[in-house]
Amino acid sequence: MFILFLFCFFSISQEQDVNQVPATTATQPVSAEPTTTISGIILERGTRKPLADVAIYLLPQKTKAVSDQNGNFLFEGVQPQVCSVIVNLTGYNKYEKETSCKEPGRMSIYLEKVLYTGFETTVTSKAEKRDDQTQTLTQEDFMKTAGTFGGDPVRAAQNLPGVSSQGASAEVIVQGASPDDTGYLINGHRVPLVFHFGGLSSVVIPEAVEKVELLPSGYGPEYSRAIGGIIGITTKEPKKDRTHGMAYVDLLNSGGLLEGAINETSSFLVSARYSYIGQVLKAAANEMETTTLTTAPTFYDFTGIYNNQINANNKFKTTFVLSSDELELIVNKAFADDPALRGRLSNTTDFFRVIPQMITQLGPDHKMDNSLGFGKDKLIVNIGTNYLNVDSDVISQRSEVISKWSETYKTFLGLDNQWTNTNVRINLPTEGTVGGVPTPFSAGEEQRFTAQVSQYQLGAYLRQEIKIFEDSNWTFLPNLRVDQFSLSDSSELQPRLQIRYQWDSSLLLRASVGRYAQAPLPQETSKEYGNESLKPLSAMHYTAGFSKDFKNGSNQGFEVTNNYFYKTLDNLVFPDIVSRYANSGTGTIYGAEVQAKYRKDKWSSQLVYTFLNSKRTIPGFGTQPSEFDQTHNLNLIGSYTTARWTFGGRFRFVTGLPYTPVIGATYDSNNDVFIPAAGTIFSQRFDSFQQFDLRIDRKFIYDKWILNVYFDVQNLLNRKNTQSIEYSYDFKNQENVAGLPILPTFGVKGEF
């Protein structure tokens, strides 16, 4: 300011001297003051995201510049003096900084957001949601959900209506169906699982996922071979504006991600993660000689994505996913006093997929999407001297042509095919019981064989969207799918109909009916181990529901979704005395779901509740609850976000799963074990499952990166949620086996 004062004083003095020169005296010309040019860029602090159309002011010169789409701005004709740069943008803290404007230069302005909700996200608009039955979680949704261990997408999907898990299993239960009746997809292609053992995380790191979708009852014709439902992960397109990265480490695992541009048209993403909790548990077990049973899960995964916008009409994307899981049980003494089970037991699942995809714009109203998936699946189960080894080569193919014929008629015509070549090595006893009663392993009739099985599953579908006239509130979707199963040499025609009525802009009514088919498990159709004559399982789905948005165009307020479903199941596979397995079972599933969301300022909350009744009818056993019947499933989720802190919590209540009681036992002298006598199958239930999860995040914002410190606790109240029963050698005594106890994790994550 002192320099500015001298400059002004000198200017006034010079002006007075000029005014005092006599009129008859010739004045000397006064040269103009020198000026300079200042350029710069304005970025979001921490994320370095360019901010466009932002007004930047230079005082006291009262000069204004506006940033372009890349965040660049320019001041011309700047007087050489000390000046202040001021930016006042809604949603960001006011920026004011004194700087020197005496020489040409380039400045960087980092504008700090008032609220940072998480890693940069990719938001999927409602217009991209093709199927009314589909429940979609974008990265913005699952990254800030409590109880998900850092925003895991599949764990977040468990908060959706009708979804639950089987303890610490990698399998997911959808609306009371068997986990084997749920299909898992990555970019539309089938994979053996999308969830690591132990249920702690998905097989793709969250920051590489664009969205996760749940397709429950009544889903469209694009997918099939899953009579329960489908969970699908879609990987994101890598960013091209600059290089982005993330790395984290916590008590359970660590990982990182890097993405950015290769050139003007292409970009890449690579990510990797490793869990070391299994190594910790195994080391602890080796130090404790009295340990009876220790579970040691270990996993790692890798994801690579390449994206290339070849030209205006063609886009190419390739995704590579590698996942490896090992669940090891370390037994230091005989488990339940069964000598056959002393030693190490392990279950390993490995797979990889390469999924190239080409999207071609054929014209203004026609688009084609072609993709392949090829890779390998490996399943290894070792139980003492017994084993199951399944090694499969997999090729899948999807093609779809989307055509908009008029404002009232649109079609989706596609193919969905899969070929597998599987080598199977088995040394296991046959499974002959119904109801899950744990017959001693050493008492079974051992089957040992090696086989090679090749099979294909071919599918074609037609989806139609029809309106009577352009502005009609009614939309009719008469859909058709056909699947060919090579193992059973059968074709399954599956008509499906969806109807929607847009009552007004905030209320949508919908209903659907459709048929679904699914192949039996490979071991069930094996010549040596199963029944080659098994038919595909089938189901009829009936649904009705509505969605109501009370926000009136705002991003705050209340919205609710309600859905009712009814399913009939046929040709279910159960053990059979004569043919090992038979299509002897039927079933019914019905229920209701409600999901209510509310957002107000810094508060966000939702209530998700499912009422369910799932029954099975088996010849000789009658009708009883399904093994996966959970009458009530309630999730209460809430979060509070300040400028740097986020507090989130989740309370979960789920009815306990049914189980078959053991009412006695007889001694088998040939094998020196007791054989249990089962009571009425699935006539009793485990205690209700209750859990409270808590997550606290604190962000530290720097100019070019963000540090996130987090504390996440699963089962904060340390509830002993029973998942199974362990019996004594003579089945006279039993002990409940609980799931994971309180499981805290503390970690740090850096983003740039």
Side-chain angles (χ1 to χ4, degrees):
M1 293 302 293
F2 179 74
I3 297 175
L4 180 60
F5 172 79
L6 291 179
F7 177 79
C8 295
F9 177 81
F10 180 80
S11 299
I12 294 172
S13 299
Q14 290 291 93
E15 181 177 341
Q16 290 175 346
D17 292 341
V18 171
N19 291 336
Q20 293 173 1
V21 174
T24 58
T25 304
T27 60
Q28 297 295 324
V30 180
S31 60
E33 291 291 342
T35 61
T36 187
T37 298
I38 296 177
S39 63
I41 187 170
I42 183 167
L43 306 168
E44 184 176 277
R45 191 169 189 236
T47 67
R48 291 186 287 167
K49 174 184 175 182
L51 299 177
D53 299 322
V54 178
I56 303 103
Y57 296 91
L58 205 60
L59 298 180
Q61 305 186 38
K62 298 182 180 179
T63 305
K64 173 184 174 182
V66 178
S67 61
D68 63 15
Q69 63 178 0
N70 296 317
N72 295 309
F73 61 88
L74 179 68
F75 288 105
E76 294 181 315
V78 179
Q79 297 176 0
Q81 58 182 325
V82 175
C83 52
S84 295
V85 180
I86 297 177
V87 182
N88 201 355
L89 181 64
T90 302
Y92 292 81
N93 294 327
K94 182 179 179 181
Y95 179 92
E96 184 171 3
K97 184 177 181 181
E98 190 174 274
T99 186
S100 174
C101 297
K102 293 183 178 181
E103 297 179 359
R106 181 171 177 83
M107 65 176 64
S108 296
I109 298 176
Y110 293 97
L111 210 58
E112 187 170 332
K113 289 176 65 176
V114 173
L115 185 66
Y116 286 79
T117 56
F119 195 87
E120 293 180 74
T121 59
T122 302
V123 180
T124 302
S125 65
K126 290 184 178 180
E128 295 176 348
K129 184 177 177 180
R130 179 185 297 185
D131 199 319
D132 292 331
Q133 304 304 117
T134 302
Q135 295 273 351
T136 302
L137 291 174
T138 67
Q139 192 180 102
E140 184 179 25
D141 296 321
F142 57 72
M143 286 292 287
K144 57 186 180 183
T145 301
T148 62
F149 281 100
D152 185 81
V154 181
R155 286 183 65 86
Q158 292 183 10
N159 297 328
L160 294 174
V163 179
S164 62
S165 63
Q166 189 180 7
S169 170
E171 299 174 312
V172 179
I173 302 170
V174 178
Q175 292 179 334
S178 167
D180 294 330
D181 299 339
T182 301
Y184 305 112
L185 307 174
I186 294 180
N187 291 353
H189 292 264
R190 199 72 174 256
V191 293
L193 49 84
V194 292
F195 218 2
H196 286 299
F197 286 158
L200 296 179
S201 61
S202 62
V203 297
V204 179
I205 203 166
E207 289 81 2
V209 176
E210 175 188 327
K211 61 183 177 179
V212 58
E213 293 183 311
L214 167 68
L215 285 69
S217 53
Y219 62 86
E222 293 85 351
Y223 303 106
S224 190
R225 307 164 193 157
I227 62 175
I230 288 174
I231 292 181
I233 288 176
T234 300
T235 57
K236 64 181 288 187
E237 288 187 10
K239 296 181 175 67
K240 294 192 295 185
D241 58 333
R242 61 174 179 83
T243 300
H244 298 256
M246 177 277 300
Y248 77 95
V249 58
D250 60 35
L251 302 180
L252 303 178
N253 55 180
S254 59
L257 175 144
L258 188 68
E259 62 178 320
I262 299 175
N263 51 42
E264 292 183 356
T265 62
S266 60
S267 57
F268 76 96
L269 181 151
V270 291
S271 71
R273 174 174 48 186
Y274 178 73
S275 170
Y276 34 75
I277 186 173
Q279 306 300 324
V280 175
L281 293 175
K282 283 191 284 187
N286 292 333
E287 297 296 326
M288 300 173 62
E289 297 180 358
T290 59
T291 301
T292 302
L293 181 66
T294 299
T295 304
T298 301
F299 66 81
Y300 63 85
D301 55 61
F302 175 86
T303 302
I305 304 172
Y306 170 75
N307 190 70
N308 187 7
Q309 186 71 50
I310 299 174
N311 52 44
N313 296 323
N314 293 278
K315 182 169 66 175
F316 177 76
K317 176 184 176 183
T318 296
T319 300
F320 174 78
V321 177
L322 170 68
S323 173
S324 178
D325 284 83
E326 181 181 1
L327 185 66
E328 186 174 358
L329 305 180
I330 304 171
V331 184
N332 294 333
K333 65 179 183 179
F335 178 64
D337 287 333
D338 185 350
L341 291 184
R342 183 180 289 109
R344 291 181 178 268
L345 299 81
S346 65
N347 185 343
T348 302
T349 301
D350 299 334
F351 79 89
F352 79 86
R353 286 293 185 278
V354 179
I355 307 174
Q357 178 184 23
M358 175 72 79
I359 299 177
T360 302
Q361 194 70 41
L362 302 175
D365 298 320
H366 302 276
K367 183 173 72 172
M368 176 179 288
D369 187 342
N370 289 300
S371 62
L372 290 172
F374 53 91
K376 182 181 286 290
D377 301 338
K378 295 185 69 174
L379 171 65
I380 302 174
V381 180
N382 290 313
I383 308 174
T385 59
N386 298 99
Y387 55 83
L388 168 65
N389 192 326
V390 181
D391 192 335
S392 300
D393 296 313
V394 182
I395 300 176
S396 55
Q397 177 264 335
R398 292 188 63 87
S399 296
E400 183 179 76
V401 176
I402 305 173
S403 300
K404 183 179 179 181
W405 303 100
S406 68
E407 295 299 326
T408 60
Y409 186 56
K410 189 175 184 180
T411 61
F412 304 76
L413 182 63
L415 299 174
D416 176 15
N417 305 316
Q418 179 171 302
W419 297 265
T420 58
N421 183 48
T422 304
N423 291 304
V424 182
R425 296 174 58 244
I426 288 181
N427 180 13
L428 292 173
T430 56
E431 181 181 351
T433 61
V434 175
V437 174
T439 301
F441 204 80
S442 56
E445 179 184 352
E446 189 173 83
Q447 295 287 322
R448 178 182 297 183
F449 66 88
T450 300
Q452 182 172 351
V453 180
S454 296
Q455 64 170 313
Y456 60 81
Q457 299 180 71
L458 308 180
Y461 63 88
L462 172 63
R463 178 186 182 90
Q464 304 176 92
E465 295 184 4
I466 303 172
K467 289 189 174 183
I468 305 302
F469 52 89
E470 183 176 345
D471 296 328
S472 174
N473 292 340
W474 290 95
T475 303
F476 300 91
L477 297 93
N479 305 320
L480 182 65
R481 181 179 176 107
V482 60
D483 280 292
Q484 171 72 27
F485 300 96
S486 64
L487 286 183
S488 58
D489 193 22
S490 62
S491 298
E492 298 292 329
L493 193 64
Q494 301 157 71
R496 302 173 189 178
L497 173 65
Q498 296 178 343
I499 301 174
R500 66 171 73 120
Y501 180 73
Q502 193 73 50
W503 183 282
D504 56 36
S505 60
S506 66
L507 178 60
L508 174 67
L509 308 178
R510 61 182 180 274
S512 69
V513 59
R515 187 172 185 272
Y516 300 81
Q518 170 184 315
L521 297 175
Q523 63 267 29
E524 295 172 342
T525 56
S526 165
K527 177 181 179 181
E528 296 83 359
Y529 196 77
N531 180 2
E532 293 181 289
S533 300
L534 290 178
K535 301 176 182 178
L537 293 68
S538 64
M540 287 293 298
H541 293 187
Y542 307 86
T543 72
F546 71 88
S547 297
K548 173 65 177 177
D549 190 343
F550 296 91
K551 299 194 300 295
N552 297 320
S554 170
N555 64 351
Q556 299 191 50
F558 180 71
E559 59 181 305
V560 62
T561 299
N562 191 210
N563 192 49
Y564 302 89
F565 57 90
Y566 181 82
K567 304 179 184 180
T568 60
L569 313 177
D570 293 297
N571 293 330
L572 302 183
V573 177
F574 284 96
D576 182 78
I577 297 177
V578 177
S579 55
R580 296 197 184 105
Y581 291 99
N583 293 109
S584 56
T586 60
T588 59
I589 303 174
Y590 63 85
E593 302 167 338
V594 62
Q595 183 177 30
K597 299 180 181 180
Y598 181 76
R599 176 175 291 182
K600 180 66 174 178
D601 298 328
K602 299 177 181 180
W603 292 93
S604 177
S605 62
Q606 63 174 306
L607 178 150
V608 181
Y609 171 71
T610 302
F611 170 80
L612 176 72
N613 186 291
S614 179
K615 294 184 179 298
R616 302 291 184 271
T617 300
I618 309 171
F621 294 92
T623 300
Q624 62 282 318
S626 160
E627 182 180 359
F628 308 103
D629 175 54
Q630 293 175 299
T631 309
H632 304 286
N633 187 337
L634 172 68
N635 286 285
L636 297 173
I637 306 163
S639 65
Y640 176 78
T641 303
T642 66
R644 297 294 174 268
W645 291 88
T646 299
F647 304 88
R650 178 184 69 168
F651 172 75
R652 184 168 195 158
F653 174 89
V654 183
T655 303
L657 290 168
Y659 71 94
T660 303
V662 173
I663 59 176
T666 57
Y667 180 66
D668 179 359
S669 58
N670 292 329
N671 294 289
D672 191 26
V673 293
F674 284 82
I675 307 299
T680 303
I681 64 172
F682 301 125
S683 59
Q684 297 186 16
R685 289 184 181 271
F686 296 122
D687 293 337
S688 296
F689 178 94
Q690 298 179 51
Q691 181 172 315
F692 178 69
D693 302 324
L694 176 69
R695 182 175 176 89
I696 302 174
D697 289 82
R698 173 63 165 94
K699 292 186 180 296
F700 299 88
I701 312 300
Y702 302 93
D703 283 348
K704 298 182 179 182
W705 67 293
I706 298 174
L707 175 65
N708 185 33
V709 180
Y710 57 90
F711 180 62
D712 201 324
V713 188
Q714 178 177 280
N715 195 12
L716 178 63
L717 303 180
N718 199 24
R719 297 282 303 188
K720 299 185 183 302
N721 297 305
T722 303
Q723 296 178 356
S724 61
I725 296 177
E726 180 181 341
Y727 293 92
S728 63
Y729 74 100
D730 56 2
F731 292 90
K732 291 182 178 180
N733 300 310
Q734 66 182 51
E735 181 179 352
N736 292 338
V737 178
L740 290 174
I742 181 172
L743 185 60
T745 181
F746 173 81
V748 294
K749 181 169 81 169
E751 310 163 14
F752 66 90

